[in-house]
Amino acid sequence: MLTRARIAVLVSGGGTNLEALLRSQEGGSLSHGEIVLVCSSQPGAYALTRAANHGVPRAVVARSGKSQEAFEAELQEQLTRCQADLIVLAGFMSILSADFVRRWPDRIVNVHPSLIPSFCGKGYYGLRVHEAALARGVKITGATVHLVNEIPDGGRILLQKAVEILPEDTAATLQRRVMEQAEWVLLPQAVETLCKQISEEGAFRS
Ligand code: GAR
Protein backbone atom coordinates (compact mmCIF):
# COMPACT_ATOMS: atom_id res chain seq x y z
CA MET A 1 0.00 0.00 0.00
CA LEU A 2 1.16 3.53 -0.79
CA THR A 3 1.95 5.79 2.14
CA ARG A 4 -0.14 8.93 2.34
CA ALA A 5 1.55 12.30 1.86
CA ARG A 6 1.91 14.21 5.12
CA ILE A 7 0.22 17.61 4.98
CA ALA A 8 0.96 20.64 7.16
CA VAL A 9 -1.71 23.35 6.89
CA LEU A 10 -0.57 26.89 7.71
CA VAL A 11 -3.33 29.25 8.84
CA SER A 12 -3.82 32.69 10.37
CA GLY A 13 -7.57 33.21 10.71
CA GLY A 14 -11.00 31.64 10.56
CA GLY A 15 -9.90 28.45 8.87
CA THR A 16 -12.85 27.71 6.58
CA ASN A 17 -10.47 26.37 3.94
CA LEU A 18 -8.89 24.17 6.60
CA GLU A 19 -12.40 22.95 7.46
CA ALA A 20 -12.97 22.04 3.80
CA LEU A 21 -9.75 20.00 3.84
CA LEU A 22 -10.65 18.26 7.10
CA ARG A 23 -14.08 17.33 5.75
CA SER A 24 -12.53 15.98 2.54
CA GLN A 25 -10.19 13.88 4.62
CA GLU A 26 -13.02 12.55 6.75
CA GLY A 27 -15.26 12.01 3.74
CA GLY A 28 -12.58 9.98 1.97
CA SER A 29 -11.95 12.26 -1.01
CA LEU A 30 -8.54 13.30 0.34
CA SER A 31 -7.39 9.71 0.25
CA HIS A 32 -3.72 10.21 -0.67
CA GLY A 33 -2.97 12.73 2.07
CA GLU A 34 -3.16 13.09 5.82
CA ILE A 35 -3.26 16.38 7.72
CA VAL A 36 -0.58 15.90 10.36
CA LEU A 37 -0.27 19.49 11.61
CA VAL A 38 -2.20 22.76 11.67
CA CYS A 39 0.18 25.62 12.40
CA SER A 40 -1.04 29.17 13.01
CA SER A 41 0.86 32.45 12.85
CA GLN A 42 -1.87 33.96 15.10
CA PRO A 43 -2.28 32.51 18.60
CA GLY A 44 -6.03 33.26 18.73
CA ALA A 45 -6.94 31.98 15.27
CA TYR A 46 -10.28 30.14 15.16
CA ALA A 47 -8.64 27.71 12.74
CA LEU A 48 -6.88 26.19 15.78
CA THR A 49 -10.26 25.42 17.37
CA ARG A 50 -11.36 23.74 14.15
CA ALA A 51 -8.21 21.60 14.19
CA ALA A 52 -8.86 20.67 17.83
CA ASN A 53 -12.47 19.75 17.01
CA HIS A 54 -11.17 17.28 14.42
CA GLY A 55 -8.42 15.93 16.68
CA VAL A 56 -5.56 17.22 14.52
CA PRO A 57 -2.22 18.25 16.11
CA ARG A 58 -1.78 22.02 16.43
CA ALA A 59 1.06 24.47 16.84
CA VAL A 60 1.45 28.23 17.03
CA VAL A 61 4.41 30.01 15.50
CA ALA A 62 3.56 33.66 16.18
CA ARG A 63 4.75 36.06 13.52
CA SER A 64 4.81 39.17 15.67
CA GLY A 65 7.80 40.23 17.73
CA LYS A 66 10.47 38.35 15.78
CA SER A 67 12.58 38.61 12.64
CA GLN A 68 11.63 36.87 9.39
CA GLU A 69 14.60 34.53 9.91
CA ALA A 70 13.57 33.57 13.44
CA PHE A 71 9.94 33.10 12.36
CA GLU A 72 10.89 30.84 9.46
CA ALA A 73 13.39 28.86 11.56
CA GLU A 74 10.57 28.05 14.02
CA LEU A 75 8.24 27.19 11.17
CA GLN A 76 10.83 24.93 9.57
CA GLU A 77 11.35 23.17 12.90
CA GLN A 78 7.63 22.41 13.17
CA LEU A 79 7.53 21.14 9.58
CA THR A 80 10.57 18.94 10.08
CA ARG A 81 9.22 17.56 13.34
CA CYS A 82 5.92 16.49 11.73
CA GLN A 83 7.77 15.20 8.62
CA ALA A 84 5.63 17.25 6.27
CA ASP A 85 5.66 16.41 2.57
CA LEU A 86 3.34 19.21 1.52
CA ILE A 87 2.62 22.69 2.93
CA VAL A 88 -0.86 24.11 2.34
CA LEU A 89 -1.29 27.84 2.84
CA ALA A 90 -4.97 28.13 3.79
CA GLY A 91 -5.56 31.76 4.70
CA PHE A 92 -1.95 32.13 5.88
CA MET A 93 -1.30 35.85 6.05
CA SER A 94 2.48 35.93 6.55
CA ILE A 95 4.88 36.36 3.66
CA LEU A 96 7.43 33.56 3.20
CA SER A 97 10.91 34.50 1.99
CA ALA A 98 12.55 33.24 -1.21
CA ASP A 99 15.01 31.29 0.99
CA PHE A 100 12.18 29.43 2.70
CA VAL A 101 10.31 28.76 -0.54
CA ARG A 102 13.49 27.43 -2.19
CA ARG A 103 13.65 24.66 0.43
CA TRP A 104 10.21 23.37 -0.61
CA PRO A 105 10.18 23.18 -4.44
CA ASP A 106 6.70 22.25 -5.76
CA ARG A 107 5.66 21.48 -2.17
CA ILE A 108 3.88 24.70 -1.18
CA VAL A 109 0.34 25.32 -2.39
CA ASN A 110 -1.76 28.44 -1.80
CA VAL A 111 -5.39 29.43 -2.28
CA HIS A 112 -6.07 33.01 -3.37
CA PRO A 113 -9.52 34.59 -3.63
CA SER A 114 -9.32 36.02 -7.17
CA LEU A 115 -8.60 34.93 -10.71
CA ILE A 116 -4.83 35.46 -10.77
CA PRO A 117 -3.30 37.63 -12.31
CA SER A 118 -6.13 39.94 -11.25
CA PHE A 119 -6.16 41.35 -7.72
CA CYS A 120 -3.06 39.60 -6.40
CA GLY A 121 0.35 40.64 -5.04
CA LYS A 122 1.29 43.07 -2.32
CA GLY A 123 -1.65 44.31 -0.27
CA TYR A 124 -4.18 41.88 -1.77
CA TYR A 125 -5.34 39.48 0.90
CA GLY A 126 -8.60 38.42 2.53
CA LEU A 127 -11.48 40.87 2.25
CA ARG A 128 -9.27 43.47 0.54
CA VAL A 129 -9.22 41.35 -2.61
CA HIS A 130 -13.02 41.47 -2.85
CA GLU A 131 -13.15 45.20 -2.01
CA ALA A 132 -10.75 45.81 -4.90
CA ALA A 133 -12.79 43.67 -7.31
CA LEU A 134 -15.98 45.56 -6.40
CA ALA A 135 -14.23 48.95 -6.65
CA ARG A 136 -12.96 48.07 -10.15
CA GLY A 137 -16.43 46.98 -11.23
CA VAL A 138 -15.46 43.57 -12.60
CA LYS A 139 -18.43 41.27 -13.22
CA ILE A 140 -16.60 37.99 -12.73
CA THR A 141 -14.10 37.03 -10.05
CA GLY A 142 -13.16 33.64 -8.58
CA ALA A 143 -10.40 31.74 -6.85
CA THR A 144 -7.03 30.31 -7.79
CA VAL A 145 -5.02 27.47 -6.32
CA HIS A 146 -1.36 27.75 -7.22
CA LEU A 147 2.08 26.45 -6.31
CA VAL A 148 4.42 28.82 -4.52
CA ASN A 149 7.86 28.56 -6.07
CA GLU A 150 10.75 30.82 -6.84
CA ILE A 151 10.47 33.17 -9.78
CA PRO A 152 10.28 32.57 -12.80
CA ASP A 153 7.98 29.64 -11.96
CA GLY A 154 6.72 31.76 -9.04
CA GLY A 155 3.07 30.85 -9.07
CA ARG A 156 2.24 28.01 -11.43
CA ILE A 157 -1.51 27.81 -11.48
CA LEU A 158 -3.12 24.46 -10.68
CA LEU A 159 -6.86 25.24 -10.66
CA GLN A 160 -9.13 28.24 -11.17
CA LYS A 161 -12.87 28.73 -10.96
CA ALA A 162 -14.91 31.77 -11.95
CA VAL A 163 -17.65 33.21 -9.72
CA GLU A 164 -20.26 35.77 -10.74
CA ILE A 165 -20.43 39.16 -9.01
CA LEU A 166 -23.98 40.34 -8.31
CA PRO A 167 -25.05 44.02 -8.32
CA GLU A 168 -26.00 43.94 -4.63
CA ASP A 169 -22.75 42.32 -3.48
CA THR A 170 -20.73 43.66 -0.56
CA ALA A 171 -17.16 42.49 0.01
CA ALA A 172 -18.49 40.12 2.68
CA THR A 173 -21.20 38.52 0.51
CA LEU A 174 -18.76 38.19 -2.37
CA GLN A 175 -16.11 36.63 -0.15
CA ARG A 176 -18.64 34.06 1.06
CA ARG A 177 -19.75 33.16 -2.49
CA VAL A 178 -16.14 32.82 -3.71
CA MET A 179 -15.36 30.55 -0.77
CA GLU A 180 -18.45 28.36 -1.21
CA GLN A 181 -18.38 28.07 -4.99
CA ALA A 182 -14.65 28.06 -5.60
CA GLU A 183 -12.15 27.90 -2.71
CA TRP A 184 -13.70 25.06 -0.68
CA VAL A 185 -14.07 23.01 -3.87
CA LEU A 186 -10.74 23.68 -5.56
CA LEU A 187 -8.37 23.49 -2.61
CA PRO A 188 -9.20 19.92 -1.53
CA GLN A 189 -9.11 18.80 -5.19
CA ALA A 190 -5.68 20.33 -5.80
CA VAL A 191 -4.30 18.99 -2.52
CA GLU A 192 -5.51 15.45 -3.34
CA THR A 193 -3.85 15.64 -6.79
CA LEU A 194 -0.55 16.82 -5.28
CA CYS A 195 -0.68 14.18 -2.52
CA LYS A 196 -1.29 11.46 -5.10
CA GLN A 197 1.77 12.60 -7.06
CA ILE A 198 3.89 12.77 -3.90
CA SER A 199 2.80 9.33 -2.66
CA GLU A 200 3.50 7.82 -6.08
CA GLU A 201 6.96 9.44 -6.22
CA GLY A 202 7.59 7.99 -2.75
CA ALA A 203 6.54 4.54 -3.89
CA PHE A 204 8.84 4.84 -6.92
CA ARG A 205 11.81 5.83 -4.75
CA SER A 206 11.40 3.03 -2.23
C1 GAR B 1 -9.58 32.99 2.07
O1 GAR B 1 -10.48 33.69 1.27
C2 GAR B 1 -8.25 32.85 1.36
O2 GAR B 1 -8.36 32.64 -0.01
C3 GAR B 1 -7.63 34.20 1.64
O3 GAR B 1 -7.99 34.49 2.97
C4 GAR B 1 -9.20 33.82 3.30
C5 GAR B 1 -8.96 32.95 4.51
O4 GAR B 1 -10.15 32.36 4.97
N1 GAR B 1 -6.22 34.16 1.43
C6 GAR B 1 -5.53 35.19 0.94
O5 GAR B 1 -6.02 36.27 0.69
C7 GAR B 1 -4.06 34.91 0.73
N2 GAR B 1 -3.49 35.83 -0.21
P1 GAR B 1 -10.15 31.08 5.90
O6 GAR B 1 -9.19 31.35 7.07
O7 GAR B 1 -11.58 31.01 6.37
O8 GAR B 1 -9.72 29.88 5.10
Side-chain angles (χ1 to χ4, degrees):
M1 204 181 95
L2 296 179
T3 48
R4 297 167 84 189
R6 297 173 66 80
I7 305 166
V9 185
L10 306 191
V11 296
S12 303
T16 63
N17 279 288
L18 167 68
E19 186 79 37
L21 290 167
L22 290 164
R23 288 185 186 176
S24 296
Q25 176 169 283
E26 285 161 14
S29 54
L30 182 47
S31 59
H32 289 83
E34 180 189 2
I35 299 169
V36 294
L37 180 70
V38 171
C39 183
S40 177
S41 61
Q42 292 287 340
Y46 186 67
L48 290 167
T49 305
R50 293 183 193 273
N53 290 343
H54 290 264
V56 171
R58 304 167 299 289
V60 173
V61 175
R63 176 66 191 89
S64 65
K66 58 181 76 118
S67 67
Q68 184 75 22
E69 290 72 21
F71 172 63
E72 291 183 350
E74 273 185 48
L75 210 51
Q76 182 66 41
E77 194 185 317
Q78 290 289 344
L79 295 165
T80 304
R81 192 179 300 161
C82 75
Q83 297 180 288
D85 296 308
L86 180 69
I87 300 171
V88 180
L89 308 181
F92 185 64
M93 298 302 177
S94 299
I95 304 286
L96 295 170
S97 70
D99 273 352
F100 184 92
V101 166
R102 196 176 300 127
R103 270 181 255 134
W104 294 88
D106 285 340
R107 295 297 177 98
I108 308 177
V109 61
N110 181 48
V111 58
H112 184 77
S114 75
L115 294 173
I116 290 175
S118 292
F119 308 114
C120 64
K122 201 170 159 36
Y124 288 105
Y125 56 88
L127 214 52
R128 289 179 183 219
V129 178
H130 305 292
E131 286 165 355
L134 290 176
R136 189 71 171 84
V138 293
K139 306 303 172 208
I140 298 286
T141 185
T144 302
V145 177
H146 64 96
L147 290 174
V148 180
N149 273 327
E150 272 193 288
I151 289 166
D153 177 35
R156 191 157 65 77
I157 286 167
L158 301 175
L159 292 174
Q160 285 188 306
K161 190 162 188 280
V163 173
E164 195 181 357
I165 296 181
L166 303 179
E168 65 272 21
D169 265 332
T170 62
T173 61
L174 183 55
Q175 179 183 51
R176 181 76 194 184
R177 189 174 323 105
V178 169
M179 284 174 158
E180 278 175 2
Q181 294 185 7
E183 296 185 50
W184 301 342
V185 180
L186 297 188
L187 186 62
Q189 268 179 24
V191 169
E192 168 62 4
T193 302
L194 290 169
C195 286
K196 189 164 185 289
Q197 282 166 15
I198 292 168
S199 60
E200 285 169 2
E201 281 166 17
F204 182 72
R205 273 202 304 271
S206 58

